[in-house]
Amino acid sequence: MDLDGTLLDLAASPDAVSPGEGTQDMLQTLEAAASGALALITGRPVAFVDSLFPGYRFTVAGLHGTELRPGERIAPPGAAETFAGEAPTAAFRHGRDLVRNAAQDLPGVLFEDKGRAFALHYRQAPEHRAEVEQIMERALICAGEGYLLRPGKCVVELCPAGADKGTAIRRLMAEPPFAGRIPFAAGDDVTDEAMFRVVNEMNGLSLRIGEPEMTRDSLAMAKLPSPADFRTWMRRIA
């Protein structure tokens, strides 16, 4: 499942999200019931996800599938992350610096450094959407081959090409404890549609979180209006 806007309520800034009381316990209960076959598939880096759930390692596909790290129920302590694509290049770092500096001139626009990716958030300043898109287009040209832009809810992100949430699902479903199971995926944004497409192809269940006007064209088979509704549903089955 996705994190921001799906499991967790969206926040004014990227660093302000919080799992809330009981969320980690609920996830660990569900993970145990599924013999470890639970994964968080997110645009966030693995390290950030770990910071949300202190003292425990879930299986995480970070940066839209660029990073993959098995959880502690299915791998020994210290299990390494695997990465898709090359390490950040000098051109990538130059583009990142360009975006960081440009964001300082746009009140309300927030820069997020994800290590192998970076993003500009304009949730607090939607009037700057066009400028954000132009800045990120310039950054993509600067970064060169091997990268792409992922637009989302009031955000534009520059990420390594060659991986998405759909490829993350395929990688997970090819290995224990996920192999042979019927997949379920939940998400709230356009970046989650790749995940829904793969899950639907595998005859699984896909769920889009959001108000009807935001989910009308989704590939998801089912809909829920908010993260709170999704958490309520998960607690019922935990």
Side-chain angles (χ1 to χ4, degrees):
M1 69 190 76
D2 176 50
L3 283 179
D4 298 71
T6 301
L7 177 65
L8 310 181
D9 295 321
L10 292 172
S13 66
D15 293 336
V17 298
S18 172
E21 185 177 357
T23 300
Q24 180 169 339
D25 290 341
M26 175 188 67
L27 288 177
Q28 289 184 230
T29 299
L30 288 169
E31 184 190 52
S35 301
L38 180 145
L40 304 175
I41 303 179
T42 174
R44 303 287 198 147
V46 168
F48 180 84
V49 178
D50 286 347
S51 74
L52 294 176
F53 304 106
Y56 194 79
R57 291 185 298 108
F58 291 103
T59 296
V60 180
L63 299 183
H64 305 280
T66 300
E67 302 174 339
L68 183 60
R69 199 280 317 281
E72 61 186 67
R73 278 189 173 271
I74 59 177
E81 300 170 31
T82 58
F83 300 97
E86 302 296 327
T89 62
F92 170 89
R93 293 192 293 271
H94 179 64
R96 181 178 59 195
D97 291 342
L98 179 154
V99 171
R100 181 188 286 111
N101 293 335
Q104 296 175 5
D105 297 326
L106 299 176
V109 172
L110 301 176
F111 172 78
E112 182 184 10
D113 187 350
K114 301 184 177 187
R116 289 173 173 254
F118 55 85
L120 280 185
H121 297 260
Y122 56 92
R123 184 176 306 280
Q124 300 180 59
E127 68 274 14
H128 290 312
R129 174 179 177 175
E131 292 159 285
V132 165
E133 291 173 345
Q134 291 169 7
I135 291 168
M136 294 301 288
E137 288 285 356
R138 292 200 298 270
L140 179 62
I141 294 171
C142 184
E145 294 183 1
Y147 295 94
L148 53 75
L149 295 182
R150 294 189 192 278
K153 288 182 177 178
C154 297
V155 62
V156 182
E157 187 171 355
L158 190 146
C159 307
D164 60 28
K165 292 185 178 183
T167 61
I169 290 280
R170 291 191 190 280
R171 291 175 67 190
L172 288 166
M173 293 300 296
E175 301 289 342
F178 299 91
R181 294 175 179 266
I182 297 173
F184 164 78
D188 75 302
D189 209 341
V190 292
T191 56
D192 297 310
E193 293 296 320
M195 185 165 61
F196 300 153
R197 183 179 296 106
V198 170
V199 166
N200 293 349
E201 290 172 359
M202 294 180 173
N203 296 316
L205 174 63
S206 51
L207 174 67
R208 178 83 182 248
I209 309 300
E211 296 299 329
E213 64 271 16
M214 300 295 294
T215 63
R216 188 175 296 113
D217 298 326
S218 175
L219 295 173
M221 301 167 65
K223 316 284 175 62
L224 280 174
S226 71
D229 292 301
F230 180 52
R231 292 192 297 270
T232 297
W233 177 76
M234 287 201 298
R235 288 190 178 100
R236 289 174 180 166
I237 65 174

